[in-house]
């Protein structure tokens, strides 16, 4: 019996990664490739694309998690969608190796390949980080973080042990880039709303800390704007710890280190540790026969074709987005390359699709990707924000509305935009939802309790058991 699933025998355009760039490329090319007698095949471990800029709003409860994802099968009807992970690409053979959900591997032949595998969370070897931290790259993480915050507030309201209560009410975010600042802003607003509705917890008991190793936050905006955001966060009771790194998180005890002299700065317990300290190119880039630069990204030209290592390009190999080192011809990008964000990924996808049609089907001419940044905007909570769209410095409600307006426009598919907008209207009319959906990490316990069998311990019960066994 063959372990290879049934695949289309047609000439294949293989898209490795169904994220923001991959989805848009497939959407743009699927019908044209089909009409030409070929097939677009999208391979991704997940059955949906996630619009990551909206994840902080999922944490804050403004947007339902389902509404920041787009189902690939529904919106790529003329494509072949495979749920699996590409673990190797051998362009010399025109073959990619895919690992399916059940763990078995099979080969997918192709005529052309597009590398859009995106990026993963960049994690450092810090003791305890893997056991106690949570990232913010997936919708599952965003929803889990929201539920954890609310669950910890509920649990703390009935705790009589002072140390356990302090840990439950302490929230740490590591990373002062856009993702970290937006996340901590949404967390503070959510926490303040929930605390205001619980008479057993006071805001003065809550500790929220943003930890950043550099001497400033948000390198995407000007220094005076970044300084203004720091003051804004401090006014909301958020500690902003610059020139500080997380040195250890064993047993949920946060050890903070002064980056200037490497001395221990502080040590305290926290049940919630959020890690947003950067991203790294998907590791599949190193499992190819493509040239890869020092940061692990595939080397591509400004036309979004993979380099051949000898000054030319590889026929039939393309790439864009976070997994590729795309030259920034405006000169604004660090190191001469485009920064990894949705603004570039979406536009690169459009140019790559046009260039592919020019090369493979003779439609138009190949053009270099050139895009001058339109600026950036960040939401910091309801009607709070900062940004510099088109070079104009804005903050407060104007930045908040610009943030929502731009990302609602960039969110793929009309149905998702409508659902998001409807949720925003409902929240404006009826207020923020601070309901704690507890126990999503152990959903079978209600049935097990009824059946009289052993219950599955929750995350914090497992943590306490582990700590007790060490003691």
């Amino acid at each position: 019996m063959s372990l290879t699933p049934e695949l289309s025998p047609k000439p294949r355009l293989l898209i490795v990664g169904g994220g923001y760039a991959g989805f848009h490329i497939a959407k743009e090319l699927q019908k044209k490739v089909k009409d030409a007698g070929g097939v677009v095949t999208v391979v991704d471990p997940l059955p949906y694309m996630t619009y990551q800029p909206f994840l902080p709003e999922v944490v804050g409860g403004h947007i339902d998690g389902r509404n920041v994802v787009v189902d690939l099968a529904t919106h790529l009807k003329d494509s072949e969608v495979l749920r699996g992970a590409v673990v190797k690409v051998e362009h010399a053979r025109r073959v990619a190796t895919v690992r399916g959900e059940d763990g078995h591997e099979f080969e997918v032949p192709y005529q052309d390949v597009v590398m859009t595998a995106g990026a993963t969370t960049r994690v450092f070897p810090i003791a305890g980080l893997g056991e106690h931290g949570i990232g913010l790259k997936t919708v599952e993480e965003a929803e889990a973080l929201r539920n954890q915050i609310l669950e910890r507030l509920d649990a703390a309201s009935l705790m009589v042990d002072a140390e356990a209560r302090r840990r439950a009410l302490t929230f740490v975010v590591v990373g002062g880039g856009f993702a970290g600042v937006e996340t901590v802003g949404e967390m503070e607003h959510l926490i303040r709303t929930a605390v205001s509705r619980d008479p057993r917890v006071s805001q003065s008991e809550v500790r929220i800390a943003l930890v950043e190793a550099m001497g400033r936050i948000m390198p995407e905006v000007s220094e005076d704007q970044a300084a203004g955001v720091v003051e804004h966060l401090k006014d909301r009771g958020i500690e902003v710890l610059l020139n500080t790194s997380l040195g250890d998180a064993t047993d949920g005890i946060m050890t903070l280190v002064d980056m200037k002299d490497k001395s221990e700065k502080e040590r305290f317990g926290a049940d919630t540790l959020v890690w947003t300290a950067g991203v790294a190119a998907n590791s599949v880039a190193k499992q190819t026969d493509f040239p890869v630069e020092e940061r692990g990204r595939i080397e591509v030209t400004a036309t979004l074709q993979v380099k051949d290592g000898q000054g030319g390009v590889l026929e039939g190999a393309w790439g864009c987005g976070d997994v590729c080192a795309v030259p920034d011809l405006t000169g604004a990008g660090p190191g001469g390359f485009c920064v990894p964000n949705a603004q570039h990924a979406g536009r690169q996808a459009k140019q790559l699709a046009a260039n592919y049609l020019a090369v493979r089907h003779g439609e138009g001419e190949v053009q270099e990707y050139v895009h001058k940044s339109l600026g950036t905007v960040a939401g910091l909570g309801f009607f709070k924000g900062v940004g510099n769209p088109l070079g104009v410095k804005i903050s407060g409600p104007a930045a908040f509305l610009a943030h929502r307006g731009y990302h609602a426009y960039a969110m793929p598919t009309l149905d998702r935009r409508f659902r998001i907008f409807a949720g925003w209207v409902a929240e404006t009319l009826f207020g923020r939802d601070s309901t704690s959906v507890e126990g999503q990490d152990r959903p079978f316990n209600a049935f097990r309790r009824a059946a009289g069998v052993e219950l599955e311990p929750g995350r914090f019960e497992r943590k306490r058991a582990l700590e007790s066994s060490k003691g």
Side-chain angles (χ1 to χ4, degrees):
M1 178 178 177
S2 174
L3 293 178
T4 301
E6 183 177 348
L7 301 174
S8 172
K10 298 177 180 179
R12 175 174 287 104
L13 168 59
L14 177 65
I15 300 178
V16 180
Y20 196 64
F23 173 83
H24 279 86
I25 293 168
K27 186 80 170 172
E28 184 73 19
L29 294 178
Q30 59 178 352
K31 186 165 178 49
K32 294 180 180 179
V33 171
K34 180 181 179 181
D35 291 344
V39 63
V40 171
T41 299
V42 181
V43 182
D44 196 280
L46 299 173
Y48 51 77
M49 181 226 80
T50 303
Y51 188 64
Q52 295 178 2
F54 270 149
L55 292 181
E57 289 220 25
V58 174
V59 175
H62 306 297
I63 301 176
D64 188 292
R66 293 174 301 172
N67 294 335
V68 302
V69 301
V70 177
D71 181 61
L72 298 178
T74 300
H75 296 280
L76 299 178
K77 293 185 182 298
D78 290 315
S79 297
E80 180 181 56
V81 178
L82 303 180
R83 184 173 181 181
V86 174
V87 295
K88 184 166 60 174
V89 176
E90 298 172 82
H91 192 64
R93 295 177 54 219
R94 292 295 208 279
V95 166
T97 301
V98 178
R99 180 179 296 134
E101 280 288 285
D102 60 358
H104 85 274
E105 296 183 357
F106 56 93
E107 291 187 341
V108 178
Y110 63 81
Q111 181 182 56
D112 303 297
V113 66
V114 180
M115 300 298 298
T116 58
T120 58
T121 302
R122 181 182 62 182
V123 180
F124 301 123
I126 300 172
L129 176 59
E131 293 80 6
H132 298 278
I134 184 171
L136 199 67
K137 284 287 290 178
T138 69
V139 67
E140 292 87 353
E141 288 174 320
E143 290 190 320
L145 176 56
R146 171 179 165 77
N147 287 328
Q148 176 170 320
I149 290 169
L150 295 173
E151 187 276 333
R152 287 292 83 191
L153 293 172
D154 284 347
S157 69
L158 297 177
M159 289 180 178
V160 294
D161 181 276
E163 176 56 26
R165 187 179 176 100
R166 276 194 296 271
R167 286 182 57 145
L169 295 175
T170 299
F171 305 88
V172 179
V173 177
V174 179
F178 255 47
V181 173
E182 287 188 314
T183 300
V184 80
E186 291 291 357
M187 288 172 59
E188 187 277 334
H189 206 162
L190 174 65
I191 291 167
R192 187 174 295 276
T193 299
V195 168
S196 70
R197 297 170 179 172
D198 190 337
R200 293 185 298 273
V201 180
S202 66
Q203 190 65 33
S204 61
E205 295 181 276
V206 175
R207 182 181 185 185
I208 307 173
L210 175 65
V211 178
E212 169 54 46
M214 304 299 290
R216 59 163 291 184
I217 62 172
M218 303 180 76
E220 301 88 346
V221 301
S222 64
E223 289 195 26
D224 62 312
Q225 282 186 300
V229 172
V230 170
E231 292 306 313
H232 168 79
L233 295 178
K234 288 181 177 179
D235 288 343
R236 292 167 60 180
I238 300 171
E239 298 177 38
V240 181
L241 306 174
L242 302 178
N243 296 306
T244 304
S245 68
L246 177 67
D248 197 296
T250 302
D251 295 337
I253 304 299
M254 308 295 123
T255 300
L256 303 185
V257 176
D258 190 316
M259 291 298 292
K260 293 181 178 179
D261 59 13
K262 305 301 181 182
S263 63
E264 183 178 313
K265 197 170 187 176
E266 188 179 2
R267 184 179 297 185
F268 57 89
D271 282 344
T272 304
L273 169 61
V274 187
W275 183 266
T276 63
V279 297
N282 193 302
S283 61
V284 71
K286 296 180 180 180
Q287 305 305 317
T288 69
D289 49 5
F290 300 137
V292 175
E293 46 91 82
E294 59 184 11
R295 294 184 60 184
R297 298 175 297 181
I298 296 170
E299 296 182 354
V300 299
T301 65
T303 58
L304 306 172
Q305 294 168 281
V306 177
K307 295 181 179 180
D308 64 3
Q310 299 176 352
V313 298
L314 289 170
E315 193 275 331
W318 305 79
C320 69
D322 298 357
V323 76
C324 295
V326 179
D328 187 344
L329 299 186
T330 69
F337 298 104
C338 296
V339 297
N341 62 25
Q343 185 178 144
H344 276 303
R347 288 170 172 80
Q348 289 169 9
K350 184 176 181 180
Q351 187 63 65
L352 189 153
N355 286 350
Y356 175 81
L357 291 174
V359 170
R360 181 58 67 187
H361 300 286
E363 297 184 18
E365 297 181 355
V366 174
Q367 302 287 334
E368 293 183 328
Y369 173 73
V370 183
H371 172 65
K372 184 177 181 180
S373 175
L374 300 176
T376 54
V377 285
L380 303 175
F382 198 61
F383 269 85
K384 302 174 178 66
V386 65
N388 51 15
L390 301 176
V392 179
K393 296 179 181 180
I394 57 176
S395 60
F400 171 78
L401 293 173
H403 159 78
R404 282 197 164 179
Y406 172 77
H407 288 300
Y409 168 78
M411 180 72 204
T413 76
L414 182 61
D415 72 302
R416 283 304 187 248
R417 294 173 194 159
F418 181 85
R419 293 172 192 273
I420 288 170
F421 183 74
W424 286 341
V425 171
E427 180 186 45
T428 302
L429 293 175
F430 304 112
R432 184 192 296 261
D433 186 349
S434 60
T435 305
S436 171
V437 184
E438 186 185 2
Q440 286 196 334
D441 62 337
R442 49 194 193 283
F444 305 111
N445 273 358
F447 186 81
R448 290 178 177 178
R449 185 178 293 108
V453 300
E454 184 179 356
L455 303 183
E456 177 71 20
R459 177 184 178 189
F460 292 100
E461 292 167 319
R462 292 194 295 269
K463 285 175 64 177
R464 296 295 181 258
L466 178 62
E467 291 163 11
S468 297
S469 66
K470 290 181 179 179

